């Protein structure tokens, strides 16, 4: 089975963790998700311009992404691509930053149904808060609150080589599926369907 076909098995309300490295072909997964659900049904939460290298890599490989059709929550960074929903500053007090972020995401889900959300490299926020364990738990608890909300599906793209180990472990524990991009394929590490675990999906 390829990754594109596997996307049809993911139900509304699920949150999927996609673990990747700096050199893995994870931009292809971003492309397949957007192509599958429709770019205008996508909400990208862009942490510190982390999506920009993905978009550039896709463009240079000949895959066109209609950037102006994609709704975007900008958390830091300077790039101007996409339809800006809201801009939040991750360098500010974490309570203020997270409160504003959560309220705007919930408001977006109230106004838009059947949304697919992609969060790109949330692990990059943790060093801004000095890797505090309390912030790691807070960030994870916020992610857990959205589980089961059938107005959305969510995909977290996390660089597992750089991520805070505790944060990664907590995400693996609470999310419905865990996929790891390696060697040109995607291994299913965790699934609601136990028989899928350990199998590999082809990217193309």
């Amino acid at each position: 089975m390829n990754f594109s076909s596997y996307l049809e098995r993911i139900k509304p309300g699920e949150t999927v963790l996609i673990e990747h490295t700096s050199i893995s072909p994870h931009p292809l997964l971003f492309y397949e998700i957007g192509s599958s659900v429709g770019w205008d049904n996508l909400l990208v939460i862009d942490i510190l311009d982390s999506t920009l290298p993905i978009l550039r890599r896709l463009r240079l490989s000949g895959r066109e992404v209609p950037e102006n059709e994609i709704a975007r929550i900008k958390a830091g960074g300077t790039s101007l691509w996409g339809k800006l929903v809201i801009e939040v500053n991750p360098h500010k007090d974490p309570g203020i930053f997270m409160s504003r972020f959560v309220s705007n995401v919930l408001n977006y889900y109230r106004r838009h149904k059947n949304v697919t959300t992609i969060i790109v490299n949330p692990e990059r926020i943790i060093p801004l808060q000095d890797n505090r364990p309390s912030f790691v738990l807070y960030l994870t608890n916020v992610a857990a609150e959205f589980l089961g909300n059938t107005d959305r599906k969510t995909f977290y793209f996390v660089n597992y080589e750089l991520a805070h180990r505790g944060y990664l472990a907590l995400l693996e524990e609470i999310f419905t599926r865990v996929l790891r991009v390696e060697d040109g394929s995607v291994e299913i590490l965790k699934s609601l369907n136990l028989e899928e675990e350990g199998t590999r999906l082809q990217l193309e």
Side-chain angles (χ1 to χ4, degrees):
M1 181 185 297
N2 60 28
F3 177 73
S4 180
S5 299
Y6 184 72
L7 288 173
E8 298 175 5
R9 299 189 179 190
I10 299 171
K11 304 177 181 69
E14 289 198 56
T15 302
V16 180
L17 176 61
I18 296 175
E19 301 179 355
H20 65 86
T21 68
S22 302
I23 60 173
S24 67
H26 57 283
L28 294 178
L29 279 72
F30 182 98
Y31 182 79
E32 290 297 338
I33 293 167
S35 298
S36 174
V37 304
W39 297 104
D40 56 346
N41 293 320
L42 201 63
L43 172 65
V44 173
I45 299 174
D46 189 16
I47 309 297
L48 300 172
D49 282 342
S50 296
T51 310
L52 205 55
I54 291 175
L55 296 175
R56 287 174 175 165
R57 190 166 161 185
L58 290 171
R59 190 183 311 121
L60 289 170
S61 69
R63 294 172 175 85
E64 290 300 321
V65 176
E67 297 175 15
N68 293 332
E69 295 181 16
I70 302 173
R72 176 187 181 215
I73 291 178
K74 179 181 176 185
T78 59
S79 64
L80 301 175
W81 70 271
K83 296 187 297 187
L84 190 62
V85 173
I86 190 70
E87 182 172 357
V88 291
N89 186 350
H91 299 277
K92 286 190 174 181
D93 176 271
I96 296 172
F97 159 65
M98 292 301 295
S99 175
R100 188 161 185 245
F101 167 77
V102 170
S103 65
N104 278 282
V105 171
L106 287 172
N107 185 49
Y108 190 87
Y109 290 154
R110 279 191 288 269
R111 292 183 289 110
H112 302 82
K113 305 302 180 183
N114 303 315
V115 175
T116 295
T117 303
I118 295 179
I119 302 178
V120 185
N121 296 131
E123 74 279 3
R124 296 186 181 184
I125 299 177
I126 294 173
L128 300 181
Q129 303 298 331
D130 299 320
N131 296 307
R132 292 200 303 272
S134 59
F135 182 72
V136 171
L137 287 172
Y138 183 32
L139 196 62
T140 309
N141 288 339
V142 168
E145 287 179 13
F146 289 94
L147 276 169
N149 180 340
T150 55
D151 289 334
R152 38 56 82 210
K153 300 177 187 175
T154 300
F155 296 85
Y156 272 63
F157 281 72
V158 173
N159 187 325
Y160 71 87
E161 292 182 324
L162 300 176
H164 183 286
R165 182 57 206 156
Y167 178 61
L168 188 66
L170 287 167
L171 295 185
E172 290 174 336
E173 181 178 331
I174 64 174
F175 287 174
T176 57
R177 300 173 195 259
V178 179
L179 310 178
R180 179 169 287 186
V181 189
E182 286 183 319
D183 302 325
S185 66
V186 181
E187 184 179 3
I188 302 173
L189 301 181
K190 177 182 176 182
S191 173
L192 294 174
N193 305 312
L194 296 181
E195 68 275 9
E196 294 177 354
E197 295 181 359
T199 61
R200 288 187 176 272
L201 306 170
Q202 299 306 310
L203 287 176
E204 294 182 301

